[in-house]
Amino acid sequence: MKWAEISIQTTHEAAETVANIFHELGSSGVVIEDPELVNSYLTSGVWDYSDIEQESNTEIVTVKAYLPVDDQLDEKLRNFEEEFQQISSRGMDKGIGDMRCREVQEEDWASSWKEFFHPIKVGQYIVIKPSWEEYKAASDDLVIELDPGMAFGTGTHQTTAMCCRALEEVVKPGCLVFDVGTGSGILSIAAAKLGAASVQAVDLDSVAVRVAAENVAINQVEHVVKVAQGDLLTGVTGKADIVIANIIADVVIKLIVDIPARLKENGIFIASGIISERLSDVAAVMLEHNLLVDKVIEEGGWVAVIARKGGC
């Protein structure tokens, strides 16, 4: 399958807004290349080896999105350019706006980044291991074997790692979990390995649904995790003990309206993919909808929020 890789240079301030524009256009996935984040990985020892040099200019953030090459692509690109030009009217610095577009084959993209993806322990127990690498597990490790393909999720980003640590805190044996926007299925698999009895994983993108189902099978948790295509909570049934959404702030805010009705009493909502500057916006909407913030986890300019459904 052919994809169009659209990349645009913007600022830290506008990166999430740009990502949201791509999301609204139906992008299969968005990659934010943040030089500050790359530098932090290079100095932290997360990567065993890398020949990437530290970036000296950390002000320019590159946002990349992947759209299928079809008869709708030209219109989507025009819509993106219009929306991008409007960012300044919202009081944000949109940056230089240098945009490039190139065609990529799915198999080429899916293999090009593998040299940078190595086993990593993201929580007290959870280890993300690429399917093509060896890892000697400790006795208490919960190893998730992963082949993300085009589903955009390796577990190495702070937002996913924070979600894994949040799940380690709140998942109890026998609980029901909804994973909204599952991507490559990491968080659903983590919940299953932590003892959840049932996990409903949904994603709007058919590629993510396929890849997540494959990763669920690789990790032998098909009896717990069911993957389906759906738009946020429209893809799940019943009420959950835990709902988790690692998306972006604007989508989380839209989702919050429907969360209380889909949580059991004292149920927990974990939201991530939120830049620190948007925490107050998300927390305010949570409060409006009777979700009480229990804990905020912050790392590298990103936050994850653990909130609990309050009483009537």
Side-chain angles (χ1 to χ4, degrees):
M1 183 175 182
K2 289 184 179 180
W3 296 82
E5 179 190 81
I6 302 99
S7 63
I8 188 158
Q9 293 185 324
T10 185
T11 62
H12 289 279
E13 181 184 24
E16 187 183 8
T17 299
V18 173
N20 189 51
I21 295 171
F22 280 132
H23 177 84
E24 295 292 341
L25 289 174
S27 173
S28 175
V30 178
V31 177
I32 299 177
E33 295 184 350
D34 183 343
E36 287 186 352
L37 177 61
V38 172
N39 285 353
S40 71
Y41 278 144
L42 290 172
T43 57
S44 68
V46 167
W47 290 330
D48 294 332
Y49 168 77
S50 174
D51 57 4
I52 300 175
E53 294 183 0
Q54 284 209 32
E55 294 282 349
S56 56
N57 182 358
T58 59
E59 297 305 311
I60 297 175
V61 177
T62 301
V63 182
K64 291 182 178 179
Y66 296 82
L67 295 167
V69 177
D70 55 22
D71 56 3
Q72 299 177 40
L73 179 60
D74 288 342
E75 182 181 357
K76 288 178 179 178
L77 291 176
R78 284 193 296 271
N79 290 340
F80 174 79
E81 288 186 34
E82 291 173 6
E83 290 289 332
F84 181 76
Q85 295 306 323
Q86 309 245 342
I87 289 177
S88 297
S89 66
R90 303 178 199 177
M92 282 187 284
D93 176 11
K94 69 179 188 300
I96 59 178
D98 181 17
M99 187 167 80
R100 300 181 184 183
C101 183
R102 71 183 184 102
E103 244 181 48
V104 294
Q105 293 286 348
E106 179 172 332
E107 57 270 23
D108 294 337
W109 187 94
S111 60
S112 63
W113 46 266
K114 286 185 176 180
E115 62 184 295
F116 307 117
F117 181 25
H118 306 294
I120 177 173
K121 193 163 190 176
V122 295
Q124 185 176 354
Y125 307 108
I126 297 171
V127 177
I128 311 294
K129 184 189 88 67
S131 58
W132 56 90
E133 288 217 358
E134 296 295 324
Y135 176 76
K136 187 175 181 180
S139 59
D140 60 350
D141 282 349
L142 296 177
V143 179
I144 298 174
E145 190 162 298
L146 195 69
D147 192 348
M150 284 291 289
F152 301 92
T154 64
T156 58
H157 194 274
Q158 286 106 323
T159 58
T160 310
M162 288 188 293
C163 284
C164 286
R165 293 198 291 274
L167 285 172
E168 287 182 340
E169 290 186 29
V170 303
V171 171
K172 306 297 181 188
C175 69
L176 171 60
V177 179
F178 295 161
D179 178 13
V180 180
T182 191
S184 53
I186 295 172
L187 300 179
S188 291
I189 297 166
K193 287 181 176 282
L194 287 164
S198 176
V199 181
Q200 295 182 39
V202 294
D203 204 291
L204 185 60
D205 177 49
S206 59
V207 175
V209 172
R210 172 178 58 82
V211 172
E214 291 171 355
N215 285 321
V216 166
I218 289 170
N219 287 275
Q220 302 180 346
V221 291
E222 310 100 305
H223 60 293
V224 176
V225 182
K226 304 303 176 188
V227 186
Q229 188 168 7
D231 187 4
L232 301 178
L233 288 170
T234 61
V236 299
T237 58
K239 292 188 176 184
D241 296 289
I242 300 167
V243 176
I244 188 161
N246 181 23
I247 316 178
I248 57 175
D250 287 335
V251 180
V252 167
I253 287 171
K254 292 177 186 176
L255 182 62
I256 288 170
V257 177
D258 299 317
I259 288 293
R262 307 308 298 274
L263 276 177
K264 298 177 183 179
E265 290 306 313
N266 293 313
I268 293 169
F269 177 43
I270 302 170
S272 191
I274 305 163
I275 59 173
S276 300
E277 291 81 0
R278 299 299 305 280
L279 173 61
S280 58
D281 298 336
V282 173
V285 179
M286 284 183 170
L287 187 59
E288 287 175 15
H289 292 86
N290 205 29
L291 293 168
L292 310 178
V293 175
D294 276 356
K295 185 174 183 179
V296 174
I297 308 169
E298 184 167 3
E299 185 176 323
W302 298 88
V303 296
V305 181
I306 303 175
R308 190 176 301 274
K309 180 178 177 179
C312 297

